[in-house]
Amino acid sequence: NNFGVAFYSLRLYPEAISCYDKAIELDSAVTCYYYNRGLALDNLDRYEETVGCCDQGLAYNRNDARLYNLKGLALHSLKQFNE
């Protein structure tokens, strides 16, 4: 996750996503990994994947407001206002 954050701060989003993928493989129950991955995907305009990533994280913690917010922003970008 720390490498992902570093890559993200350098706007190297594909590299950040790869790091978050590895972090998720190591511990899939940590929702901040999904959030960080979703942010990187969102910055690449990969909104459908952002929504899926948020849904994966919400499966572990239905109370993570950050994931709901990010999912809402991605759905808005997709013009899916009724979701």
Side-chain angles (χ1 to χ4, degrees), residues 28-73:
S28 61
V30 180
T31 57
C32 75
Y33 300 159
Y34 297 96
Y35 176 74
N36 291 342
R37 184 176 186 275
L39 281 176
L41 289 165
D42 193 70
N43 276 288
L44 294 172
D45 299 334
R46 292 166 55 180
Y47 304 119
E48 290 179 10
E49 291 175 81
T50 302
V51 171
C53 191
C54 291
D55 285 340
Q56 288 176 321
L58 289 167
Y60 290 99
N61 181 1
R62 299 303 261 165
N63 297 316
D64 193 326
R66 299 170 307 163
L67 289 170
Y68 283 110
N69 183 59
L70 182 57
K71 180 179 177 178
L73 292 172

Side-chain angles (χ1 to χ4, degrees), residues 70-82:
L70 182 57
K71 180 179 177 178
L73 292 172
L75 288 169
H76 184 269
S77 295
L78 291 168
K79 300 186 182 343
Q80 295 181 10
F81 304 116
N82 295 325

